[in-house]
Amino acid sequence: ILRLDIAGKNIRLGRVDIERPVIAFITDTTGLMNLTWYLDMLKNPLDIVKKESLRFFVNKITINDGRFALLNRNGPAGKALIDFKDLRLSDLSADVKNFRIRGDSTVLEINDVRFGESKGFLVRSMKSDLILARKEIIFRDLFLNLDSSIINADQVLLSGNESEGFKNFTENVRLDISLEKSLVSTSDLRYFLSAAGGLNEAVELSGRISGTVSDLNGRRIQASFRDHTELSCDFDMS
């Protein structure tokens, strides 16, 4: 513990080691998440003056052999193999530096994260600078080694809708992806897109992709498939 100033809302830790954690964020049928319920219980109703936000900093965090679940019992299940209403990760390990929270923003440097998902999706290694804000998620200098794909991106930006946040991903969440030369395999893509389930191919891909999933734009797209097929284009897809 480097600094513990509760009154000044300033906490700084040197190193945190977390062994075999089990974490579950569960939203019940009324739409209430357990984490929100616990945080509301901790609030002091007499503390109506909120001039200064919490400052929380950790130099280094390591997680070993963790499990994580994201469960939403409100509404129908998703159609893809990866269902974000029933997401379960195991064998989770992580090496994180310079984790800091200030106000509604969280910033951290991911040196290495790896895990397996219950449906078979595998992340062998992930490195990135990550920013989490109320309406934005930003990955910078992203390297992602999946079971059969290798993703390199200068930046991946997800912007939530003003009123709904990230609830309606397809229609409201805007993407801005600057993709360096990467190898994308349908064997990994099928976990998110059911249409890729019958394919077993890999494509080298680079360029910039932006917009929502339902109204997507591509610029300076370079793709190569097997030995004799190449595609260079811009596209607009609705």
Side-chain angles (χ1 to χ4, degrees):
I1 299 175
L2 302 180
R3 183 168 186 177
L4 190 60
D5 181 7
I6 303 298
K9 296 184 179 180
N10 192 352
I11 301 170
R12 187 180 182 110
L13 305 179
R15 175 167 177 162
V16 175
D17 294 322
I18 305 172
E19 293 291 329
R20 295 193 295 177
V22 179
I23 302 168
F25 293 162
I26 304 174
T27 301
D28 64 21
T29 54
T30 67
L32 178 65
M33 180 183 280
N34 58 347
L35 180 64
T36 304
W37 186 81
Y38 283 117
L39 291 176
D40 287 344
M41 296 241 341
L42 292 172
K43 287 180 180 178
N44 183 355
L46 299 177
D47 185 16
I48 58 174
V49 180
K50 297 181 179 179
K51 294 182 179 179
E52 193 172 350
S53 60
L54 172 68
R55 287 170 291 173
F56 182 70
F57 190 97
V58 185
N59 289 354
K60 182 176 177 62
I61 302 173
T62 59
I63 299 174
N64 183 45
D65 193 18
R67 285 187 290 153
F68 173 79
L70 182 64
L71 310 176
N72 189 338
R73 293 169 179 152
N74 186 23
K79 296 179 180 179
L81 276 176
I82 293 287
D83 184 0
F84 287 96
K85 290 193 173 185
D86 186 12
L87 187 70
R88 301 169 190 266
L89 310 182
S90 59
D91 299 322
L92 173 64
S93 64
D95 181 3
V96 174
K97 289 175 59 180
N98 297 328
F99 177 94
R100 50 200 184 275
I101 299 174
R102 180 138 194 194
D104 62 355
S105 296
T106 301
V107 181
L108 59 150
E109 299 172 18
I110 301 172
N111 289 334
D112 190 23
V113 168
R114 53 191 71 194
F115 58 82
E117 203 275 333
S118 60
K119 301 296 192 306
F121 182 71
L122 179 65
V123 173
R124 298 184 184 277
S125 181
M126 173 182 169
K127 299 178 182 180
S128 180
D129 292 339
L130 174 61
I131 301 172
L132 301 171
R134 182 174 298 174
K135 296 167 187 168
E136 286 186 340
I137 300 175
I138 304 171
F139 294 91
R140 289 183 178 147
D141 297 324
L142 172 66
F143 170 79
L144 194 56
N145 185 2
L146 307 179
D147 191 24
S148 303
S149 304
I150 297 176
I151 309 297
N152 293 289
D154 286 339
Q155 179 170 286
V156 176
L157 169 65
L158 293 83
S159 301
N161 182 273
E162 285 285 334
S163 58
E164 295 189 10
F166 293 91
K167 289 182 180 179
N168 189 345
F169 191 91
T170 303
E171 300 291 335
N172 293 331
V173 177
R174 295 192 61 81
L175 309 174
D176 193 345
I177 304 171
S178 298
L179 198 64
E180 295 296 310
K181 190 175 182 179
S182 301
L183 182 69
V184 181
S185 172
T186 55
S187 63
D188 293 316
L189 203 59
R190 68 187 178 91
Y191 290 99
F192 305 94
L193 297 174
S194 56
L199 304 173
N200 187 18
E201 301 291 349
V203 177
E204 287 189 354
L205 183 67
S206 65
R208 183 176 180 181
I209 300 171
S210 61
T212 63
V213 173
S214 62
D215 192 5
L216 207 59
N217 308 310
R219 297 294 180 265
R220 302 187 304 279
I221 300 298
Q222 300 286 336
S224 60
F225 172 68
R226 293 193 178 181
D227 295 329
H228 304 292
T229 303
E230 294 184 359
L231 175 67
S232 177
C233 71
D234 294 340
F235 71 79
D236 298 279
M237 183 169 63
S238 180

